[in-house]
Amino acid sequence: MKGGLVSTGSGDEERAWAADKRDFVADRRDEVADERDRLADTRDRTVDDREAELDKWEGQVAARAAELGVSAEDSGATAQRTEARAGRSRARQNRDEARAKRTIAAADRDESTKRRQADAPPTRLAMVFADIAEQLYNADNFDDVLSRIAEAAVSTIAGCRMASVTLHERSGYRTAASTDPAATAVDQAQYQSHEGPCLDAVDAAMVYAQSFPDERWPTLASRPTESGVRSALSYCLAAASSGTADSGGGSLNSYGVIPYAFNDTAQEIGLILAVHASAAARAVEERSTLQSLGRDLQQALLSRDVIGQAKGILMERLEITPEDAFDLLRRSSQHLNLKLRDVARGLAETGEFRMTRTSRPADQQ
């Protein structure tokens, strides 16, 4: 009893509410920081552009002075310009350093967001994956869904700073989507070495490389570290159910910039994402296949209609049977070296029918 009222909230509910409120504040703080960084980046770009114009102008002044035969000593402003140029260079270096710090801070905020999502109640985590699933299924084509899968890995799996999708095709392995050139470089190192987590994951549900080098891949050794990757977590992406010649499955590759970047929770969330991704990729590819079949069927129906029109014209003009009319169209197609539907379309549109390239229309013979 509190103040004569019954408290219906349990301690767990109060703690959940406090956690939600804390996460809301943290999310809002990160949004403000992201907006502040965007403004700072815009301001720095403006300053960089203005200083580039100033450097260009001073170069033009120096060139003009040289044309007029005015020496640097006679101009009287060389020292001031040199000092100003040095000051701009120092300011530019300071801006670059500040920009690099903002990039690191933004990456840290992303990591914190992913960890908050991973520690959130199951309902919130389910909502996150529902949103991801909707984005994947709304992809326009197969390549688009692969790009979205890689982006979802970076935004969802704690410890993942970059991601890629490897496809196993008849011609070999290739990176079909990537969020960072470094991820692509690590993929290529594995293709060249013929070993690595992204290749093993084509046939295994999950492959975790806690750090490089890893004794499982002696040829690959520490090559991923040359691109800044210290750990990798790869998941199997199932092959498309259509069974096409080029569909041999693939892998979703999450790359971390520190050793042991992926804890147990991150591994489990990545596994759920990989299942979502496989289903979405199959659905989008099958949808594209059905759309292609639909276009082919529509074209076939149109061809049948125009052939029917051409047969009707010949039957009326020559008073022949449908079989004879079709035989005439077929022979015309062979003699003219044209597709049957093109011969039929020409007859339906122009009323002219030819058996040879130089012959007159059939009704005038």
Side-chain angles (χ1 to χ4, degrees), residues 34-109:
D34 289 340
E35 181 62 24
R36 184 179 64 242
D37 287 353
R38 281 193 290 270
L39 292 175
D41 289 340
T42 300
R43 182 185 64 244
D44 286 353
R45 285 194 296 270
T46 301
V47 175
D48 288 341
D49 292 342
R50 183 173 66 243
E51 291 187 351
E53 288 294 326
L54 183 58
D55 289 341
K56 180 180 178 181
W57 178 79
E58 288 186 348
Q60 294 173 346
V61 170
R64 183 58 176 168
E67 292 177 359
L68 297 176
V70 179
S71 66
E73 292 75 9
D74 294 339
S75 66
T78 300
Q80 292 87 338
R81 285 201 299 271
T82 300
E83 183 177 354
R85 193 178 300 112
R88 290 198 299 272
S89 178
R90 289 192 297 271
R92 189 179 300 113
Q93 183 177 359
N94 291 337
R95 288 195 300 273
D96 290 340
E97 292 175 355
R99 190 180 298 115
K101 291 179 180 178
R102 290 197 298 271
T103 300
I104 295 174
D108 290 340
R109 289 196 299 272

Side-chain angles (χ1 to χ4, degrees), residues 60-306:
Q60 294 173 346
V61 170
R64 183 58 176 168
E67 292 177 359
L68 297 176
V70 179
S71 66
E73 292 75 9
D74 294 339
S75 66
T78 300
Q80 292 87 338
R81 285 201 299 271
T82 300
E83 183 177 354
R85 193 178 300 112
R88 290 198 299 272
S89 178
R90 289 192 297 271
R92 189 179 300 113
Q93 183 177 359
N94 291 337
R95 288 195 300 273
D96 290 340
E97 292 175 355
R99 190 180 298 115
K101 291 179 180 178
R102 290 197 298 271
T103 300
I104 295 174
D108 290 340
R109 289 196 299 272
D110 289 341
E111 280 298 301
S112 297
T113 298
K114 288 185 285 186
R115 296 189 186 280
R116 287 199 300 273
Q117 291 175 347
D119 295 336
T123 301
R124 287 186 57 196
L125 186 59
M127 292 175 62
V128 171
F129 272 99
D131 181 61
I132 290 173
E134 183 177 0
Q135 293 183 34
L136 293 180
Y137 281 101
N138 286 336
D140 294 330
N141 51 56
F142 189 61
D143 290 340
D144 187 21
V145 76
L146 295 181
S147 296
R148 295 190 183 198
I149 288 170
E151 292 167 358
V154 175
S155 64
T156 308
I157 303 174
C160 176
R161 289 295 181 88
M162 61 192 80
S164 68
V165 174
T166 292
L167 289 186
H168 184 201
E169 300 175 332
R170 183 169 51 186
S171 58
Y173 296 95
R174 73 177 178 92
T175 299
S178 176
T179 65
D180 192 287
T184 305
V186 175
D187 288 350
Q188 291 296 329
Q190 295 175 75
Y191 306 156
Q192 294 168 4
S193 301
H194 303 289
E195 62 181 22
C198 81
L199 304 188
D200 289 357
V202 173
D203 300 311
M206 182 180 74
V207 179
Y208 183 20
Q210 296 179 334
S211 63
F212 292 105
D214 189 302
E215 62 182 9
R216 289 174 291 180
W217 310 293
T219 304
L220 179 65
S222 60
R223 289 183 61 184
T225 63
E226 298 172 4
S227 301
V229 170
R230 300 292 189 272
S231 55
L233 181 60
S234 295
Y235 298 94
C236 178
L237 293 179
S241 58
S242 59
T244 57
D246 285 336
S247 61
S251 60
L252 169 61
N253 312 305
S254 305
Y255 294 123
V257 296
I258 60 174
Y260 304 92
F262 306 100
N263 59 24
D264 292 343
T265 302
Q267 295 175 44
E268 293 172 358
I269 289 178
L271 193 58
I272 298 172
L273 174 62
V275 173
H276 274 283
S278 294
R282 287 198 302 269
V284 171
E285 187 171 35
E286 289 169 2
R287 184 178 66 196
S288 300
T289 300
L290 288 175
Q291 290 173 345
S292 178
L293 289 174
R295 288 191 294 268
D296 292 343
L297 179 59
Q298 184 180 21
Q299 184 62 42
L301 291 174
L302 291 174
S303 297
R304 188 180 69 174
D305 287 344
V306 75

Side-chain angles (χ1 to χ4, degrees), residues 317-344:
R317 285 185 184 179
L318 305 178
E319 298 181 353
I320 58 178
T321 66
E323 292 76 11
D324 291 339
F326 183 81
D327 186 59
L328 277 176
L329 289 172
R330 180 183 58 79
R331 284 189 286 145
S332 175
S333 171
Q334 293 174 344
H335 293 161
L336 298 176
N337 195 25
L338 294 174
K339 292 182 179 180
L340 182 63
R341 67 170 178 266
D342 293 335
V343 174

